């Protein structure tokens, strides 16, 4: 092709290739949107059947732990990044006590765990300061933004609502009162009634026995994979709430439903009742 002809056609060629490129981008965007939509739909898919009773974990599932991060961080010389390590240690040693036949309430274990983290990191921290950092914040955690509306919707749909927590009986009563949630629950269970921590099977069985219901008639709701694993092991239906940073454990059965918040759970259960 003569150079002059090529120069005359060059703008047209550029336009054609630009249109082809744009068409490919549009197809990719549509494919991505379809894939995203499919992912959302899959996530909302549910195997749950309408339960008679819904059991809610409290800490992190209903109550926002963000406020605890500040006080624990201050006790650890500003190391707020150590909160996950402290929380993991607290859960770890609650299980150690359950398996070894010991029992201290959750705040006592939390205090000891905080002192362990401080010692490991070379931070000076006495028991009184550690206890103060945990006690006040743990008792005054606010509810997540979706919680009250979600619980009210579930209650209006006719579900019996109870809570089950590793916090002490006195502790959870104070927590729910300060969060303005007390009246939304028929009963508020604490593991200190049997001195074994979740996910021990006896903790869930305690609730079943007291309410006189069968495992399949109960849905356990939590933001912790270990809690749902324990509930599933007893035969309860399970729902995972994806609070920030919460992930599932792949070596156990998947939850019957996965939701982003309690309003989405109310939507799912409303459909399950139909």
């Amino acid at each position: 092709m003569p150079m002059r002809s090529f120069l005359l056609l060059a703008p047209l060629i550029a336009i054609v290739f630009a249109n082809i490129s744009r068409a490919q981008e549009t197809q990719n965007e549509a494919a991505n949107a379809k894939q995203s939509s499919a992912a959302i739909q899959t996530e909302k898919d549910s195997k749950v059947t309408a339960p008679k009773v819904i059991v809610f974990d409290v800490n992190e599932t209903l109550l926002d732990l963000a406020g605890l991060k500040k006080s624990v961080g201050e006790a650890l010389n500003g190391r707020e990044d150590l909160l996950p390590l402290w929380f993991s240690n607290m859960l770890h040693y609650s299980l150690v006590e359950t398996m070894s036949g010991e029992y201290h309430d959750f705040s006592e274990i939390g205090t000891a765990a905080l002192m362990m983290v401080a010692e490991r990191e070379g931070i000076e921290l006495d028991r009184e300061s550690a206890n103060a950092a945990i006690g006040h914040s743990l008792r005054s955690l606010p509810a997540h933004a979706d919680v009250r509306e979600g619980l009210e919707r579930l209650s209006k749909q006719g579900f019996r609502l109870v809570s089950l927590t590793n916090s002490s009986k006195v502790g959870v009563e104070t927590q729910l009162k300060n969060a303005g949630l007390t009246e939304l629950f028929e009963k508020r269970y604490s593991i200190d009634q049997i001195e074994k921590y979740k996910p021990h099977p006896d903790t869930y069985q305690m609730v079943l026995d007291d309410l006189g219901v069968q495992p399949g008639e109960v849905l356990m709701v939590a933001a912790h994979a270990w809690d749902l694993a324990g509930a599933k092991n007893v035969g309860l239906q399970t729902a995972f709430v994806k609070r920030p940073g919460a992930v599932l454990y792949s070596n156990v059965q998947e939850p019957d439903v996965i939701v982003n918040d309690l309003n989405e759970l109310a939507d799912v259960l409303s459909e399950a009742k139909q």
Side-chain angles (χ1 to χ4, degrees):
M1 178 183 294
M3 180 61 68
R4 179 180 176 79
S5 298
F6 176 78
L7 293 175
L8 290 173
L9 290 173
L12 179 60
I13 293 171
I15 291 173
V16 171
F17 276 103
N19 286 338
I20 292 174
S21 177
R22 179 55 189 159
Q24 290 175 334
E25 289 178 3
T26 301
Q27 289 177 345
N28 290 338
E29 288 172 0
N32 289 338
K34 183 177 180 180
Q35 186 176 26
S36 175
S37 176
I40 292 172
Q41 182 62 40
T42 299
E43 195 163 80
K44 288 185 178 180
D45 285 346
S46 166
K47 303 185 291 289
V48 72
T49 58
K52 290 183 178 180
V53 178
I54 307 177
V55 182
F56 290 89
D57 172 56
V58 176
N59 295 312
E60 196 164 21
T61 301
L62 300 179
L63 304 183
D64 189 351
L65 296 183
L68 194 58
K69 186 175 182 178
K70 181 178 179 180
S71 62
V72 170
E74 289 174 351
L76 295 172
N77 292 347
R79 294 287 306 277
E80 293 186 2
D81 60 297
L82 294 174
L83 178 65
L85 176 60
W86 163 72
F87 195 64
S88 295
N89 274 356
M90 181 166 62
L91 294 176
H92 175 80
Y93 283 97
S94 70
L95 297 182
V96 168
E97 293 213 3
T98 294
M99 295 304 296
S100 62
E102 297 287 337
Y103 181 75
H104 293 85
D105 72 36
F106 212 36
S107 62
E108 290 179 296
I109 295 175
T111 296
L114 184 56
M115 293 179 68
M116 291 175 69
V117 173
E119 182 176 353
R120 197 195 79 161
E121 298 296 321
I123 299 171
E124 291 188 12
L125 181 65
D126 58 68
R127 178 170 291 274
E128 183 178 355
S129 299
N131 186 58
I134 296 169
H136 176 72
S137 295
L138 197 59
R139 289 191 297 269
S140 55
L141 297 173
H144 288 288
D146 59 284
V147 167
R148 184 170 190 86
E149 181 182 1
L151 291 175
E152 288 176 342
R153 288 180 61 194
L154 290 166
S155 181
K156 288 178 181 178
Q157 289 173 14
F159 298 110
R160 299 172 66 185
L161 310 183
V162 303
S163 64
L164 172 61
T165 180
N166 278 342
S167 294
S168 68
K169 183 69 174 176
V170 173
V172 69
E173 293 292 351
T174 304
Q175 284 182 301
L176 294 179
K177 178 181 179 181
N178 289 340
L181 302 176
T182 302
E183 75 281 5
L184 296 175
F185 293 99
E186 176 183 331
K187 290 193 173 184
R188 297 164 294 281
Y189 295 97
S190 165
I191 59 84
D192 70 1
Q193 295 167 242
I194 58 171
E195 298 189 347
K196 295 178 183 177
Y197 285 94
K198 293 188 294 178
H200 193 285
D202 290 354
T203 61
Y204 310 98
Q205 192 63 50
M206 169 186 69
V207 177
L208 298 177
D209 291 344
D210 186 66
L211 295 176
V213 291
Q214 296 302 310
E217 298 174 326
V218 177
L219 176 69
M220 180 74 209
V221 181
H224 305 119
W226 52 265
D227 200 347
L228 298 182
K232 180 64 74 174
N233 186 50
V234 177
L236 277 63
Q237 298 188 81
T238 56
F240 179 65
V241 183
K242 297 197 304 179
R243 296 303 184 195
V247 294
L248 289 171
Y249 178 57
S250 61
N251 285 345
V252 296
Q253 293 184 63
E254 290 186 359
D256 297 293
V257 61
I258 300 173
V259 295
N260 292 304
D261 56 39
L262 298 197
N263 277 310
E264 190 172 333
L265 179 64
D267 291 339
V268 170
L269 293 183
S270 177
E271 292 181 7
K273 289 189 71 173
Q274 296 176 3

